[in-house]
Amino acid sequence: MLDFLVRPKTLEQGLDLVITTAGKLEELQATIETVIHGKSDVVELALVSLLAGGHLLIEDVPGVGKTTLAQTLARSFDCTFQRIQFTSDMLPSDIVGLEVFNQRTSTFEFKSGPIFANVVLADEINRSTPKTQSALLEAMAEGHVTVEQETYQLPRPFIVLATQNPIEHHGTYPLPESQLDRFMMRLRMGYPDSEDEKTILREQTLNSAVDRVVPVMHSDGVLALQHEVREVTVEESLIDYLIRIVRATREADILDLGVSPRGSLALYHAAQALAFLEGRDFVIPDDIKRLVVPIFAHRIVVNSRYSTGLRRSDESQAALQEILKTVNVPL
């Protein structure tokens, strides 16, 4: 495990690091599952988002482990980490930083905010005002922040793990579609089953389970893996399949808003990451099919005429499942 915490000094060492870390992805997932019980699918998809270089949105009711999942993911990597607890009175400068006047030198100096970290946990992002949300989401899209006409680059890798309560809950400000589109994937935790909940209760000690997580990989290892993921092969027929699904969302009467080209790119790279995580250097149709709902559900808007009375997120998932049935899978 110590090998993952050593920064590579040469290209050869970097390549060795890729080979070693690729072989340890299973260990990474197992480490996270020592804290998050009974949610293997959720953990796997969260890792897909990280390997694909995307930002992750975790949405569900309070108390099901959203923040714990995000914290465990962050602590599994030996890199800089910041947590931002969003509240209704936060200002954009509380996130990106601000310029402060130095009386000794008579100059303004930039004091960076918590956004300057490899892994940023944005907890309950939809409890802050749209103006503050925009400051974070702009940084996610651009990879830098601009303060007083000066641009400051964010560290790499840069990953935002955001949590939010369902928009039907009190005290939330729903993210607009344009900002939701910045997140590669939205996951939902769901309640644990009886046995897993019993395990959670038994493992309670004075020390948090998250605090016992040992980093498995260095930030350089994450960058190397993200580079390798982009080399995974996607056959032409599968690209056509992906495009047909995207176009079906744009042409479906049941939807007011279909998937954007940014969504197409997200599915393409996530499919590469899923194949890589499962030890393949090529994508198969099931990779794309499995990722459609977590990657597209937060990007579409169901037409109100077809509303079923379900929660908005449930309606989106149901609509995507119906659309998937209309698109032929390549043989």
Side-chain angles (χ1 to χ4, degrees):
M1 185 177 296
L2 290 177
D3 292 342
F4 295 95
L5 308 182
V6 178
R7 289 176 181 276
K9 295 179 180 177
T10 65
L11 178 61
E12 289 73 19
Q13 287 179 344
L15 292 173
D16 288 342
L17 180 64
V18 170
I19 295 170
T20 311
T21 50
K24 291 291 184 180
L25 279 173
E26 228 174 85
E27 181 183 345
L28 176 62
Q29 185 167 349
T31 298
I32 297 170
E33 290 185 28
T34 60
V35 179
I36 307 296
H37 297 282
K39 300 293 177 187
S40 296
D41 286 352
V42 175
V43 172
E44 185 178 33
L45 290 176
L47 289 177
V48 165
S49 184
L50 299 185
L51 291 174
H55 304 291
L56 180 64
L57 178 64
I58 308 170
E59 177 188 293
D60 217 316
V61 295
V64 294
K66 303 186 299 295
T67 303
T68 304
L69 172 61
Q71 285 181 321
T72 309
L73 276 168
R75 289 179 183 274
S76 300
F77 302 98
D78 184 41
C79 50
T80 54
F81 168 68
Q82 290 282 357
R83 172 179 176 171
I84 307 172
Q85 179 64 52
F86 279 72
T87 57
S88 59
D89 58 351
M90 282 188 76
L91 299 173
S93 58
D94 294 329
I95 297 174
V96 301
L98 74 168
E99 289 202 333
V100 178
F101 185 72
N102 187 328
Q103 291 185 336
R104 185 181 303 172
T105 60
S106 297
T107 58
F108 283 93
E109 295 178 353
F110 177 65
K111 299 294 183 185
S112 60
I115 193 73
F116 287 84
N118 293 117
V119 180
V120 176
L121 168 56
D123 212 4
E124 298 189 301
I125 187 173
N126 59 342
R127 289 204 178 278
S128 67
T129 60
K131 187 176 182 180
T132 305
Q133 292 170 0
S134 296
L136 172 67
L137 296 167
E138 181 182 355
M140 289 165 54
E142 306 296 336
H144 60 74
V145 298
T146 302
V147 177
E148 298 295 337
Q149 300 182 340
E150 286 289 334
T151 300
Y152 303 92
Q153 293 294 328
L154 296 172
R156 296 188 64 225
F158 174 65
I159 301 163
V160 173
L161 308 171
T163 71
Q164 72 169 2
N165 296 322
I167 59 173
E168 293 83 359
H169 283 225
H170 292 293
T172 58
Y173 298 86
L175 296 176
E177 287 78 13
S178 60
Q179 295 182 352
L180 281 172
D181 206 35
R182 310 286 185 190
F183 288 96
M184 170 173 275
M185 191 180 298
R186 182 185 65 185
L187 297 180
R188 300 175 68 181
M189 297 288 293
Y191 291 112
D193 62 28
S194 299
E195 284 303 312
D196 291 322
E197 195 157 1
K198 193 184 291 183
T199 303
I200 293 169
L201 295 177
R202 282 176 175 157
E203 290 186 350
Q204 293 307 299
T205 64
L206 288 177
N207 296 323
S208 165
V210 178
D211 293 336
R212 297 195 293 270
V213 171
V214 178
V216 176
M217 201 174 295
H218 197 278
S219 58
D220 291 321
V222 178
L223 282 175
L225 287 174
Q226 289 177 343
H227 176 76
E228 287 297 301
V229 163
R230 296 298 171 98
E231 301 299 320
V232 172
T233 302
V234 185
E235 294 290 341
E236 196 70 20
S237 60
L238 293 180
I239 297 177
D240 291 337
Y241 176 51
L242 187 155
I243 296 297
R244 287 200 300 273
I245 296 172
V246 170
R247 293 191 66 82
T249 67
R250 297 171 187 167
E251 296 166 359
D253 292 336
I254 195 174
L255 299 182
D256 271 343
L257 179 66
V259 175
S260 67
R262 184 185 286 127
S264 308
L265 282 170
L267 181 55
Y268 181 86
H269 293 312
Q272 289 178 304
L274 180 57
F276 184 81
L277 192 61
E278 295 188 348
R280 287 180 274 110
D281 61 359
F282 56 90
V283 172
I284 60 176
D286 280 349
D287 294 332
I288 295 174
K289 198 171 180 180
R290 180 181 172 191
L291 292 167
V292 164
V293 169
I295 291 180
F296 286 172
H298 62 291
R299 303 174 192 272
I300 63 171
V301 176
V302 177
N303 189 310
S304 57
R305 287 180 299 166
Y306 297 91
S307 177
T308 58
L310 296 172
R311 287 195 311 183
R312 191 180 299 180
S313 54
D314 291 333
E315 282 185 339
S316 299
Q317 292 184 18
L320 283 171
Q321 295 290 0
E322 289 301 314
I323 289 172
L324 268 178
K325 293 176 184 173
T326 67
V327 181
N328 293 327
V329 181
L331 300 176

